[in-house]
């Protein structure tokens, strides 16, 4: 083969046996033809993803602070949104930021390679926060659906205690499901961040992956889709009815619809961003488990293996692109709240104005101090120059007087 194995830049250990058979020449040429797409995805994951992480953590923190203000705390769903902000930050840090760190810094990856505890902890946290964020969106959607469908039965009895109970149950379930990553490596063993997996899993693929993909993609997508359909239907029904009600209740219904619109947009955007990743992951899982082929020397089986391996490589980097698109979901909720939530937008605007006034007063104080210091410096300099001039004048006068006295004494001596 004219192309060496080093053409495959994702292979770390070239001392493995049978590499020539595992990576045939046709696959190496295909890898070269795939390079433009691979470089594009690598560029996104290397340069755009860190920006998304920093932006997302900052905006989620601001969202959490704003949702903790008294004007927004009165909403029944503020606790869910605060939990979602924290969970999104956890997903950005422990999943995406950690993946980038392990990929670009060898000493970071070595920490996980040398410690089974850190490796297991990282596997659990990667799954825990992402799974929690996914199902928090589902809970938000269906909570709002129940509020719209049963406004008298749930809206009045819904309180922070029930929210805390639901969030606690969700956290416990997420943690239990995340423990499965101790036994099934999943996509971590073939990460698009291209770091070396810290430890070999007992079962890298298998039936557990069907369970994982169903719980992390298709079931949430189904629940969100059905919930949004019900939300739209019942919101239209209430719009026809609320015109016949009193002004106070109409105001209450409008306020409920504003909240529903925000959650509808959040869940719809999540559905749109998650759907491509779910499709690609399902295809890749089917390709890797059901249609799996193995290296062979027989011509027919070798051709089938080469075709299978080419498609597997393409699916991996399609997953990388969808993975990048999906992780924007963890960073854009702040913008969605601002666009669809009038109260949230007003609270942010008022806070910005308040901080603007504070910063302006601080800057004004600093500028005034600088001006005062410059005036004092100018004044002291002028005073100092005046003193110098006065001293020079006095010295000059003394010299003049002493000179005139000496001249007079000389005249007296000459006359005598």
């Amino acid at each position: 083969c004219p192309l060496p194995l080093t053409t495959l830049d994702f292979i770390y250990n070239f001392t493995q046996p049978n590499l020539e058979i595992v990576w045939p020449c046709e696959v190496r040429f295909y890898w070269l033809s795939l390079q433009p797409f691979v470089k594009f995805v690598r560029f996104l994951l290397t340069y755009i993803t860190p920006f998304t992480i920093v932006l997302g953590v900052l905006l989620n923190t601001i969202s959490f602070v704003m949702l903790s203000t008294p004007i927004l705390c009165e909403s029944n769903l503020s606790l869910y949104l605060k939990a979602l902000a924290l969970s999104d930050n956890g997903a950005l840090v422990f999943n995406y930021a950690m993946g980038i760190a392990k990929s670009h810094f060898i000493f970071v990856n070595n920490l996980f390679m040398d410690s089974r505890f850190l490796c297991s902890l990282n596997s659990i946290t990667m799954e825990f926060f992402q799974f929690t964020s996914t199902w928090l969106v589902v809970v938000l959607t269906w909570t709002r659906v129940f509020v719209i469908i049963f406004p008298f039965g749930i809206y009045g009895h819904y309180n922070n205690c029930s929210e805390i109970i639901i969030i606690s149950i969700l956290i416990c379930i997420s943690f239990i499901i995340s423990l499965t990553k101790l036994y099934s490596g999943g996509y971590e063993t073939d990460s698009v961040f291209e770091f070396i997996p810290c430890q070999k899993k007992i079962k890298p693929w298998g039936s557990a992956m069907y369970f994982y993909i169903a719980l992390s993609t298709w079931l949430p997508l189904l629940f969100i889709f059905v919930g949004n359909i019900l939300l739209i239907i019942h919101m239209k029904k209430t719009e026809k009815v609320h015109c016949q009600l009193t002004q106070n209740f109409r105001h209450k219904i409008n306020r409920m619809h504003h909240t529903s619109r925000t959650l509808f947009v959040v869940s719809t955007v999540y559905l749109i961003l998650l759907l491509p990743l779910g499709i690609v992951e399902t295809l890749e899982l089917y390709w890797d488990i059901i249609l799996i082929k193995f290296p062979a020397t027989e011509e027919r089986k070798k051709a089938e293996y080469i075709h299978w391996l080419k498609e597997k490589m393409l699916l991996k980097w399609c997953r990388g692109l969808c993975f990048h698109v999906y992780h924007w979901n963890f960073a854009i909720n702040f913008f969605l709240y601002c666009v669809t939530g009038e109260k949230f937008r007003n609270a942010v605007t008022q806070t910005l104005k308040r901080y603007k006034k504070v910063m302006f007063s601080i800057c004004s104080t600093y500028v005034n101090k600088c001006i005062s210091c410059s005036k004092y410096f100018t004044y002291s300099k002028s005073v100092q120059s005046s003193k110098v001039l006065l001293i020079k004048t006095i010295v000059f006068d003394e010299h003049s007087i002493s000179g005139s006295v000496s001249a007079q004494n000389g005249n007296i001596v000459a006359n005598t």
Side-chain angles (χ1 to χ4, degrees):
C1 182
L3 294 178
L5 284 171
T6 52
T7 306
L8 306 173
D9 55 359
F10 53 85
I11 298 179
Y12 299 99
N13 184 10
F14 289 96
T15 61
Q16 301 176 33
N18 301 323
L19 281 179
E20 292 286 345
I21 300 176
V22 175
W23 301 101
C25 191
E26 295 85 350
V27 175
R28 301 174 209 175
F29 277 103
Y30 179 75
W31 175 249
L32 287 182
S33 66
L34 201 62
Q35 280 300 297
F37 178 60
V38 172
K39 288 181 179 179
F40 174 69
V41 177
R42 283 175 173 172
F43 172 80
L44 293 177
L45 295 174
T46 303
Y47 298 103
I48 307 300
T49 296
F51 168 76
T52 308
I53 293 170
V54 175
L55 179 67
V57 170
L58 177 63
L59 294 181
N60 287 329
T61 304
I62 295 174
S63 298
F64 181 85
V65 173
M66 297 307 303
L67 291 167
S68 301
T69 56
I71 191 173
L72 295 175
C73 265
E74 63 183 20
S75 173
N76 289 332
L77 300 177
S78 62
L79 191 60
Y80 285 126
L81 296 179
K82 288 191 287 185
L84 182 62
L86 293 177
S87 183
D88 286 350
N89 274 352
L92 288 172
V93 172
F94 291 100
N95 197 339
Y96 298 93
M98 196 62 67
I100 293 175
K102 290 196 292 184
S103 175
H104 291 84
F105 302 101
I106 298 177
F107 72 93
V108 175
N109 197 36
N110 288 338
L111 292 176
F112 296 92
M113 295 283 289
D114 298 335
S115 174
R116 184 177 180 84
F117 172 75
L118 289 179
C119 181
S120 302
L121 182 64
N122 180 243
S123 299
I124 293 172
T125 53
M126 284 175 62
E127 181 63 23
F128 172 74
F129 288 106
Q130 188 161 314
F131 190 87
T132 303
S133 292
T134 300
W135 283 93
L136 273 174
V137 176
V138 176
V139 172
L140 278 166
T141 303
W142 279 91
T143 300
R144 181 49 48 179
V145 169
F146 288 141
V147 169
I148 294 295
I149 296 177
F150 309 105
F152 300 104
I154 292 181
Y155 190 77
H157 299 286
Y158 209 79
N159 50 40
N160 287 339
C161 183
S162 58
E163 293 174 358
I164 294 173
I165 292 174
I166 293 174
I167 293 174
S168 301
I169 293 174
L170 177 60
I171 289 174
C172 293
I173 295 175
S174 299
F175 179 75
I176 293 172
I177 293 175
S178 300
L179 293 177
T180 59
K181 295 301 289 285
L182 296 175
Y183 304 99
S184 177
Y187 295 104
E188 185 185 351
T189 58
D190 192 23
S191 174
V192 291
F193 289 115
E194 299 182 287
F195 56 80
I196 303 175
C198 55
Q199 290 176 0
K200 290 184 178 180
K201 304 297 179 181
I202 298 175
K203 200 173 184 181
W205 295 97
S207 57
M209 288 304 299
Y210 292 103
F211 179 70
Y212 164 76
I213 291 181
L215 285 178
S216 61
T217 55
W218 292 113
L219 281 179
L221 286 172
L222 178 63
F223 281 121
I224 291 172
F225 179 76
V226 174
N228 283 341
I229 295 297
L230 293 176
L231 197 62
I232 293 173
I233 293 173
H234 285 277
M235 283 177 64
K236 288 185 176 181
K237 286 183 179 180
T238 53
E239 285 177 0
K240 294 179 181 179
V241 174
H242 85 273
C243 293
Q244 305 172 0
L245 304 177
T246 61
Q247 182 67 27
N248 291 333
F249 191 75
R250 183 162 63 247
H251 174 71
K252 183 178 180 180
I253 292 293
N254 288 334
R255 186 176 63 183
M256 290 169 60
H257 282 188
H258 284 309
T259 306
S260 300
R261 183 177 60 183
T262 300
L263 298 181
F264 174 78
V265 171
V266 170
S267 59
T268 302
V269 170
Y270 189 85
L271 187 147
I272 294 172
L273 295 178
L274 180 60
L275 182 60
L277 181 63
I279 294 174
V280 173
E281 284 185 346
T282 305
L283 289 175
E284 189 176 9
L285 180 64
Y286 180 76
W287 198 260
D288 284 349
I289 295 180
I290 305 300
L291 302 179
I292 187 171
K293 305 294 180 182
F294 298 97
T297 55
E298 185 184 346
E299 288 299 325
R300 185 179 63 83
K301 291 184 178 180
K302 181 180 179 181
E304 292 177 353
Y305 171 73
I306 291 173
H307 172 70
W308 175 84
L309 190 56
K310 288 179 180 179
E311 295 299 323
K312 175 179 170 59
M313 296 168 70
L314 178 61
L315 285 172
K316 173 184 176 178
W317 290 102
C318 288
R319 168 166 55 91
L321 178 61
C322 295
F323 189 68
H324 173 79
V325 172
Y326 168 67
H327 87 273
W328 277 95
N329 166 75
F330 301 105
I332 62 174
N333 283 339
F334 175 83
F335 298 110
L336 299 180
Y337 300 156
C338 289
V339 171
T340 59
E342 185 177 356
K343 288 179 65 176
F344 187 87
R345 184 169 59 250
N346 292 336
V348 172
T349 304
Q350 292 175 4
T351 304
L352 289 176
K353 289 181 179 179
R354 193 182 310 118
Y355 278 106
K356 183 179 178 181
K357 290 180 180 178
V358 172
M359 293 300 295
F360 180 76
S361 62
I362 293 174
C363 292
S364 299
T365 305
Y366 179 75
V367 170
N368 291 332
K369 286 183 179 180
C370 291
I371 293 174
S372 301
C373 290
S374 62
K375 287 183 177 180
Y376 176 77
F377 178 75
T378 305
Y379 174 75
S380 61
K381 188 175 181 180
S382 62
V383 170
Q384 185 178 3
S385 60
S386 300
K387 289 181 178 179
V388 171
L389 182 61
L390 180 60
I391 292 171
K392 287 183 178 180
T393 304
I394 294 172
V395 171
F396 178 76
D397 291 341
E398 288 179 352
H399 288 172
S400 299
I401 293 171
S402 61
S404 60
V405 170
S406 299
Q408 289 178 3
N409 291 334
N411 292 331
I412 293 172
V413 171
N415 292 330
T416 56

